[in-house]
Amino acid sequence: MNRPTGQGPNGPDGSSARRADVPAARSGGPSRRLPRLLAALCDRLPADRIAVVEQVLRTTTGPDDASLARFIAAQSAASLAQQLSEIVRVWRSELPDANGAGLALALATARSIPRPKPAQVTVSGPVSASISARLTSGVAVEVVRSARTSLLVASFAAHGARSVMAEIGRAVGRGVRVDLLLEESTQAAAAFAALPEAVHVWHRVGSSGVLHAKLIAADRHTALLGSANLTDRALSDNIELGVVLRDPHLVGPLVDHFRWLLAPDNKVMRPA
């Protein structure tokens, strides 16, 4: 193919063409860490939260923009602030001349590509910067909110947890079937007394053991499981640990197991 005189394969006079807003990294090669950090942020946050970050980045002139620093400082989750600060640090190192619009576009692209989401750690109590974790209370509300057809909740104890209880009530209002598997000896069902009558409450048959599982499963796509009961202390103050699964291949069989527990013929659980 003939080219005009003086034009190389990539640009005029043989120079390499590059986008003005996303230059190559200082090392001379393409940025490597920054895309991975942005993808990890997409894995951590729900789509609506990522959209907020994108909006902030679109008006950001660079990694040292004061408005971005204020946004990071305003984050209530210390681990999220640390994650955003690491993105800014790598941005400053690898792409110091890039503006925020380029990063916003990269986030939007990562958000739009369907891919299995990795398991995510949740914690209650003090949060360190050692791991990328989210607070159990907020994640519990998000999982309940994501249910469209069915919601399975299991808890050994329950008390307070008003934000979660309110979200369960809203799920019932939009037609979600809600099954609560609760330990009878702790009177956990009393915490759900204000919910609509359409909620199904289950207790274990017999007294050979207790229901000690802690689970919130939305449809067959998302599940939160861990050590925290549905109590104010467990969701906020206690030192608790959990994990969120967003892989239907893992969540589906887990939901099937609990549905099996509820089947009358198996004589494991009974309606309260």
Side-chain angles (χ1 to χ4, degrees):
M1 180 176 178
N2 295 326
R3 297 187 182 92
T5 302
Q7 180 163 322
N10 297 312
D13 303 320
S15 62
S16 297
R18 71 170 59 168
R19 288 178 57 184
D21 57 338
V22 186
R26 280 180 172 171
S27 62
S31 170
R32 295 186 179 275
R33 286 201 63 205
L34 193 55
R36 291 199 298 268
L37 291 173
L38 293 174
L41 187 66
C42 280
D43 289 336
R44 172 188 180 132
L45 298 179
D48 58 337
R49 296 281 301 282
I50 287 295
V52 171
V53 178
E54 290 172 17
Q55 183 60 38
V56 171
L57 287 172
R58 286 192 193 101
T59 60
T60 299
T61 58
D64 296 313
D65 193 301
S67 63
L68 180 59
R70 288 193 295 269
F71 175 75
I72 294 173
Q75 301 307 305
S76 57
S79 59
L80 176 57
Q82 191 274 339
Q83 189 174 7
L84 291 170
S85 296
E86 179 65 7
I87 289 173
V88 170
R89 189 188 71 78
V90 175
W91 178 7
R92 186 182 297 114
S93 172
E94 294 184 342
L95 297 170
D97 298 324
N99 60 34
L103 270 69
L105 178 61
L107 269 180
T109 301
R111 179 163 56 91
S112 67
I113 298 174
R115 66 187 189 278
K117 294 205 171 189
Q120 182 181 61
V121 174
T122 70
V123 297
S124 300
V127 180
S128 73
S130 301
I131 57 174
S132 177
R134 298 187 60 203
L135 293 177
T136 307
S137 54
V139 174
V141 168
E142 286 178 5
V143 174
V144 174
R145 187 176 296 156
S146 71
R148 293 295 174 264
T149 60
S150 65
L151 185 68
L152 272 170
V153 179
S155 189
F156 174 75
H159 182 268
R162 288 178 294 277
S163 59
V164 177
M165 301 299 179
E167 202 62 49
I168 293 175
R170 283 189 279 271
V172 176
R174 62 177 180 268
V176 175
R177 177 189 169 97
V178 177
D179 289 282
L180 305 176
L181 290 71
L182 305 172
E183 171 55 32
E184 188 172 15
S185 66
T186 64
Q187 291 83 48
F192 300 88
L195 292 178
E197 292 183 0
V199 170
H200 304 268
V201 179
W202 304 82
H203 292 321
R204 184 167 181 179
V205 172
S207 58
S208 58
V210 298
L211 186 148
H212 203 252
K214 293 90 176 178
L215 167 74
I216 302 176
D219 303 332
R220 299 174 63 83
H221 55 72
T222 306
L224 167 63
L225 50 154
S227 63
N229 287 301
L230 286 178
T231 67
D232 291 330
R233 285 190 174 184
L235 293 176
S236 301
D237 300 327
N238 293 352
I239 296 178
E240 308 276 2
L241 182 65
V243 65
V244 184
L245 303 177
R246 292 190 175 89
D247 184 345
H249 295 292
L250 296 175
V251 177
L254 182 63
V255 170
D256 289 341
H257 170 68
F258 277 83
R259 292 292 178 199
W260 180 88
L261 294 176
L262 299 182
D265 291 346
N266 296 322
K267 295 181 172 57
V268 179
M269 306 292 295
R270 60 175 174 80

